[in-house]
Amino acid sequence: MTTQEPDRFDRVDWDEISRSRWFDPSINGVGVLATAIPLLLVALYDWLVLDERTPTLDPVGLGWDVGTVDYLFLFTLSLFAFYIVLPLFQHPRRTRYYWREFRRNRPAVVSLGWLGVVFVGGILGPFLVSAPEQSILTGYQPPVFLSIDESYVSTCVGDIVGGRCQGTWRHPLGTTAGGKDVFAGIVHGMTISMQIGFITTTIVASIGIAVGTVSAYAGGWVDEVLMRFVDVVLSFPTLLMFLLVLYIYGAGLGMFILVFSAFAWGGTARYVRSKSLSIAEAEFIKANRISGASTYRVVRRHVAPNAASSIITQLTLLIPGFLLAEAQLAFLGLGDSAIPSWGQLISAGRSDLSFAPWIVLAPGMVLFLTILAFNFLGDALLDALNPEAEAENA
Amino acid sequence: MTDEPVLSVRDLEKHYPIRKGIFNRQVGVARAVDGISFDIGPGETLGLVGESGCGKSTAASSIVRLEEPTAGEVVFNGNGRGGASRDPGGSHPNDVTRFSDAELKEFRRGVQMIFQDPSSSFDPRMTVGGAVAEPLAVHGMSDRRRRRAIVEDLLERVGLSAEDYDRYPHEFSGGQKQRIALARALVLNPDLIIADEPVSALDVSIQAEILSLVDDLQAEFGLSLLFISHDMSVIRRISDRVAVMYLGEIVEVGPTDGVFADPRHPYTEALLSSIPTPDPRSSLGGIELTGTVPSPTDPPSGCRFHTRCHRVIQPDGIDVDQSDWRGILNFRDRVADGRIDVESVRENAAGAAGTPTDEDIGDRLRAEFDIADEINDPDVESALQEAIDRLLAGDEEGAATLLSERFTTPCAATAPERTVHAEGHESSCLRHRSEHAVAADHADD
């Protein structure tokens, strides 16, 4: 640009603009790339340079060995930050509107608070609370303010009053048979739950939205093939598949997330397809096509965002299913025993329910509240983000 | 170069295949647009008028290639593409239907559209500023601040304020949204805007505001306009020329004043008579179109309007009252379709007075089709009476055969040619064939 151009629509030199076409990423895309690229580099370094036993962050003096699930988790966190949280700040008016709508549902506000606690606890907790460690001598410590018959504990950390071991603040929620601190277990379990929630959601959302929109837009035999494939996915016995994988390869958390999310996107895809079809009929889509926008752009900028409110609701309601599935598998002894998930904690305490119920009840309550919170949140989001309701309230 | 039209449509067709059955076999076509031609000059407004379902909107979306036209040619000379001449092979280098993807994208800068429904023409999740600016981004303007400056200026030009940039569509009224739609259509500085019923969803007072805004903008930026509407009064208000469309064809085209003062096609006449006039003694009073509305999948032979035309031609040898003639033809078509229920007519007549005679029922049938009790041509009268008698005797087929043998109109047999009445005023009606020689004295201009 040589001179100060008058900014009027009829004085735009389109020949000049059409020639100078270059990549024009949004701030959100830049943000995701800015976090994804270092992450990828660290992962490559971890994989190619460091030997298997050296913790990833050993060179900078930290003992944290970053695993595959952690990389995925960090990546999905950056997606969440730049494509969900950042837009809320970019469009303050819309955010205020959503918040007004959302606030009307009180249980949902409480749920959001609880999920915020779980989220922050899951992210920061592991850095503040050290991982629960095995210590046979201090097994079956009762939670603070409670007590247990002295005969069950080998060493009582607190006082023994009248033949009963009293709980202490050192183990506010008591310990398991192996002496693992239940509170620390719950905090670390938050990380696992958040990982399950975020990664499965991302995988389900990306496959579901991709298949749904392609199916809606391509039509014809592509649509037919994809939708029949969705039928297959929906009718696939995921649990049996997981057990099969478990017996052949062994199954860690990563495998659990992969298998369960790989068979959970069917409903989302179908939903996105029907939503896209109805949105594609709207005149603003025609108006966009007439302005020369490519199909990709129309889908990316208009169809997907308009379907998003319903997709977000649907995904919110999917997460509890995954959390429960993990807990159930852990309870049956089919989970990844190396991770401190809530399910593992519950299964660790199931034989001691008669005299040390806190081992099951504490993580059980947390799991229950979390699932309840997701369900409340999903309902409230459906009301707050529904574009039709938005139009009616206008 | 200046007298070259901005848009020149030739024999444009859009047929929708009708598929049925398990193998998706094509069983027919719906001829939504069946060979229309017109030109739009620079700065000119062409009003395209016709009733719902006649193919106006399909024509618009075929012209801009939102839908691929089946056949025909759309030559667009805007965007600085003017002055091109035909290739030796007969195809035009500016033919939109042959544009490559890159040319098509450039063409999008030259032609924009405004849609009917203001409530659905904006993405509810995007600020109106973002929506108006989007075409700029699509065409590669990556400077956000520049986009914003252009759009704010434009919003003010269409009568809104720059602060409205950050508001959402649901915060605006229908009329305001149409202003924003106008801004979005203008933002790429097109040569031609196609407005598809842009004011039919608005109140009359708002309509007037939008129409005068369109007028002003058109004058200021030298826009050409294809204005589609079913409302003759709106068309009269805005158009320089009018094209009247019926069932996929253009039946009359001419300068607005000429067409409104002296409509040459019966369909135009009927449309014009539907405008309420303040003058109670106005001669054009409520022509009611009778007969069935044909479907574009099976358009009538000959002149497509003949099934409803109030001026349908009587063949040689028949000279009866025109409204009787229309009634007889309607009666003929209904009998041929087997859609006359003699029993129910009989029952209705019975309710009135005792056992009805055949004569009573005949009178009822005649009344239903607006046929006089006694037609002044004895031949016609006897044939009609004979048909009614056969019908009452239960011989529906006999009645149908008699009617279709006896009563035919040349309109069904011959497709009308274009007749030129005055400079730029043409219509397609068979009546003009005979009138041609005689009509020279007609106050044509």
Side-chain angles (χ1 to χ4, degrees):
Chain A
M1 275 179 243
T2 48
T3 53
Q4 177 68 36
E5 289 191 42
D7 279 325
R8 261 183 56 176
F9 73 96
D10 55 336
R11 298 209 192 127
V12 174
D13 182 5
W14 281 109
D15 288 329
E16 182 199 333
I17 283 178
S18 307
R19 262 183 270 121
S20 65
R21 191 165 307 170
W22 44 282
F23 189 53
D24 175 30
S26 66
I27 183 92
N28 313 61
V30 171
V32 167
L33 279 184
T35 45
I37 289 171
L39 211 58
L40 194 66
L41 290 177
V42 172
L44 283 174
Y45 172 73
D46 190 2
W47 182 46
L48 297 173
V49 180
L50 294 180
D51 62 88
E52 258 178 47
R53 285 169 187 278
T54 321
T56 313
L57 297 184
D58 201 39
V60 289
L62 288 170
W64 183 25
D65 188 15
V66 188
T68 319
V69 173
D70 297 309
Y71 286 120
L72 278 174
F73 184 46
L74 288 172
F75 177 64
T76 54
L77 277 185
S78 85
L79 284 179
F80 176 72
F82 287 108
Y83 280 111
I84 307 267
V85 179
L86 186 59
L88 290 181
F89 288 101
Q90 286 169 326
H91 306 283
R93 283 167 55 83
R94 194 161 64 189
T95 310
R96 275 199 295 279
Y97 172 80
Y98 286 154
W99 176 243
R100 273 201 308 279
E101 290 294 306
F102 183 79
R103 211 171 41 185
R104 288 197 226 160
N105 191 335
R106 283 175 198 281
V109 176
V110 176
S111 303
L112 190 68
W114 169 251
L115 290 177
V117 169
V118 174
F119 179 72
V120 173
I123 307 268
L124 299 179
F127 297 102
L128 304 174
V129 181
S130 54
E133 271 171 41
Q134 199 87 328
S135 145
I136 299 291
L137 289 180
T138 56
Y140 297 130
Q141 295 297 320
V144 64
F145 304 132
L146 292 181
S147 59
I148 186 175
D149 197 293
E150 183 180 17
S151 58
Y152 292 112
V153 290
S154 42
T155 315
C156 184
V157 177
D159 306 323
I160 295 175
V161 179
R164 295 184 71 82
C165 175
Q166 301 292 316
T168 62
W169 280 106
R170 275 191 57 194
H171 300 290
L173 292 177
T175 60
T176 64
K180 285 185 177 174
D181 185 64
V182 173
F183 177 71
I186 288 176
V187 170
H188 283 259
M190 288 176 180
T191 313
I192 306 292
S193 297
M194 283 296 115
Q195 285 176 339
I196 294 173
F198 272 88
I199 302 174
T200 49
T201 308
T202 309
I203 297 178
V204 166
S206 25
I207 304 180
I209 293 172
V211 171
T213 49
V214 167
S215 189
Y217 262 81
W221 63 268
V222 178
D223 184 22
E224 195 65 22
V225 167
L226 284 177
M227 281 302 115
R228 295 298 77 76
F229 185 59
V230 164
D231 290 341
V232 171
V233 165
L234 280 175
S235 53
F236 202 86
T238 313
L239 185 65
L240 293 183
M241 175 72 183
F242 182 69
L243 292 182
L244 195 71
V245 171
L246 182 84
Y247 282 115
I248 298 174
Y249 303 106
L253 181 62
M255 189 57 86
F256 166 82
I257 289 174
L258 195 71
V259 170
F260 272 79
S261 45
F263 291 99
W265 54 266
T268 310
R270 216 179 240 183
Y271 196 69
V272 171
R273 173 178 174 271
S274 68
K275 200 82 192 158
S276 307
L277 284 176
S278 73
I279 293 168
E281 289 296 307
E283 279 181 348
F284 67 83
I285 298 293
K286 265 200 226 167
N288 264 286
R289 284 180 53 209
I290 204 116
S291 71
S294 63
T295 306
Y296 171 77
R297 189 185 170 94
V298 169
V299 170
R300 163 78 187 76
R301 305 261 309 177
H302 297 282
V303 177
N306 276 287
S309 59
S310 335
I311 301 171
I312 288 176
T313 307
Q314 212 235 353
L315 291 175
T316 313
L317 296 174
L318 265 183
I319 298 174
F322 292 116
L323 294 183
L324 271 182
E326 195 279 335
Q328 285 159 352
L329 286 171
F331 190 78
L332 293 173
L334 298 172
D336 181 357
S337 55
I339 55 163
S341 75
W342 294 337
Q344 289 296 335
L345 211 52
I346 293 170
S347 99
R350 69 184 160 188
S351 50
D352 311 325
L353 203 54
S354 56
F355 58 92
W358 59 84
I359 307 174
V360 171
L361 284 184
M365 283 302 287
V366 173
L367 181 65
F368 170 73
L369 288 178
T370 308
I371 286 166
L372 200 64
F374 271 116
N375 281 314
F376 276 132
L377 189 69
D379 277 350
L381 286 179
L382 184 67
D383 293 338
L385 302 181
N386 194 348
E388 282 88 334
E390 187 177 7
E392 278 161 22
N393 289 336
Chain B
M1 216 186 96
T2 40
D3 47 358
E4 191 179 51
V6 170
L7 186 80
S8 169
V9 175
R10 289 286 169 271
D11 303 322
L12 187 72
E13 289 180 11
K14 175 68 192 175
H15 295 174
Y16 293 101
I18 298 167
R19 298 179 188 282
K20 264 193 188 149
I22 197 161
F23 296 112
N24 265 347
R25 214 156 38 86
Q26 187 175 331
V27 294
V29 287
R31 299 163 183 275
V33 176
D34 207 14
I36 60 170
S37 305
F38 57 82
D39 290 334
I40 303 179
E44 187 188 42
T45 303
L46 177 70
L48 188 60
V49 69
E51 62 200 328
S52 322
C54 72
K56 298 170 305 215
S57 298
T58 311
S61 43
S62 304
I63 289 168
V64 297
R65 274 184 70 182
L66 270 180
E67 293 175 83
E68 292 299 324
T70 312
E73 192 184 61
V74 178
V75 174
F76 177 66
N77 293 321
N79 262 359
R81 295 182 73 105
S85 54
R86 280 183 186 280
D87 299 337
S91 67
H92 200 286
N94 292 353
D95 185 356
V96 176
T97 60
R98 292 164 194 270
F99 272 178
S100 67
D101 283 355
E103 280 178 308
L104 193 63
K105 190 160 180 180
E106 207 186 303
F107 165 69
R108 300 270 182 240
R109 284 211 306 273
V111 178
Q112 282 292 305
M113 238 177 130
I114 304 174
F115 298 94
Q116 175 177 8
D117 183 4
S119 63
S120 83
S121 55
F122 289 95
D123 185 342
R125 288 177 186 273
M126 198 173 226
T127 61
V128 295
V132 177
E134 196 171 18
L136 296 174
V138 166
H139 286 274
M141 188 186 287
S142 46
D143 183 348
R144 265 162 240 276
R145 250 165 300 171
R146 189 169 175 205
R147 287 204 301 251
R148 190 174 178 113
I150 289 175
V151 171
E152 283 182 347
D153 168 66
L154 197 49
L155 284 176
E156 281 171 358
R157 273 169 199 279
V158 297
L160 297 163
S161 72
E163 288 85 65
D164 289 333
Y165 188 98
D166 290 314
R167 296 171 71 192
Y168 287 90
H170 68 83
E171 299 172 71
F172 294 92
S173 68
Q176 286 173 318
K177 279 188 211 170
Q178 280 316 53
R179 286 170 188 269
I180 302 166
L182 202 52
R184 175 171 61 189
L186 275 174
V187 76
L188 290 172
N189 194 20
D191 296 307
L192 171 70
I193 288 184
I194 297 180
D196 187 0
E197 304 252 15
V199 295
S200 53
L202 305 177
D203 289 349
V204 179
S205 59
I206 315 262
Q207 278 188 1
E209 284 176 25
I210 299 288
L211 291 179
S212 60
L213 176 67
V214 171
D215 259 352
D216 295 347
L217 291 170
Q218 192 180 12
E220 190 173 352
F221 300 107
L223 292 166
S224 304
L225 196 62
L226 173 60
F227 196 97
I228 297 173
S229 181
H230 63 268
D231 186 342
M232 282 304 247
S233 50
V234 170
I235 291 285
R236 170 153 61 182
R237 166 85 175 66
I238 195 132
S239 310
D240 301 320
R241 286 195 305 131
V242 186
V244 181
M245 211 169 154
Y246 182 76
L247 215 62
E249 287 176 345
I250 288 182
V251 293
E252 179 161 3
V253 60
T256 308
D257 294 342
V259 170
F260 276 75
D262 181 24
R264 302 312 301 263
H265 195 279
Y267 181 60
T268 318
E269 238 172 59
L271 281 180
L272 284 176
S273 78
S274 68
I275 308 179
T277 43
D279 177 11
R281 277 178 297 275
S282 166
S283 58
L284 292 168
I287 298 170
E288 204 181 317
L289 294 181
T290 54
T292 51
V293 185
S295 139
T297 49
D298 183 22
S301 59
C303 171
R304 289 192 175 177
F305 189 51
H306 81 259
T307 56
R308 297 169 72 197
C309 183
H310 57 285
R311 291 188 187 273
V312 61
I313 298 174
Q314 304 177 15
D316 295 340
I318 293 185
D319 184 18
V320 297
D321 193 59
Q322 184 62 32
S323 79
D324 287 342
W325 179 240
R326 179 69 261 169
I328 291 170
L329 290 184
N330 286 351
F331 179 60
R332 177 197 73 182
D333 294 343
R334 282 277 285 279
V335 172
D337 288 351
R339 287 197 293 133
I340 290 193
D341 188 356
V342 179
E343 280 316 303
S344 73
V345 178
R346 203 186 294 272
E347 261 169 45
N348 281 345
T355 325
T357 57
D358 277 2
E359 205 172 322
D360 291 340
I361 299 166
D363 287 349
R364 270 186 176 263
L365 277 175
R366 281 172 190 251
E368 193 182 327
F369 288 94
D370 272 334
I371 305 171
D373 291 339
E374 183 80 45
I375 291 170
N376 49 19
D377 183 327
D379 285 350
V380 175
E381 172 60 34
S382 66
L384 181 64
Q385 194 53 53
E386 167 76 27
I388 292 176
D389 290 343
R390 283 192 193 178
L391 192 65
L392 293 184
D395 181 14
E396 274 190 38
E397 242 164 72
T401 322
L402 176 68
L403 284 169
S404 52
E405 271 172 10
R406 196 64 185 76
F407 303 116
T408 54
T409 166
C411 289
T414 323
E417 304 267 319
R418 267 296 158 91
T419 320
V420 179
H421 305 287
E423 169 82 30
H425 189 172
E426 302 174 11
S427 76
S428 312
C429 181
L430 275 184
R431 288 183 315 123
H432 303 319
R433 191 178 52 178
S434 50
E435 251 173 47
H436 231 124
V438 203
D441 64 313
H442 230 84
D444 251 346
D445 25 13

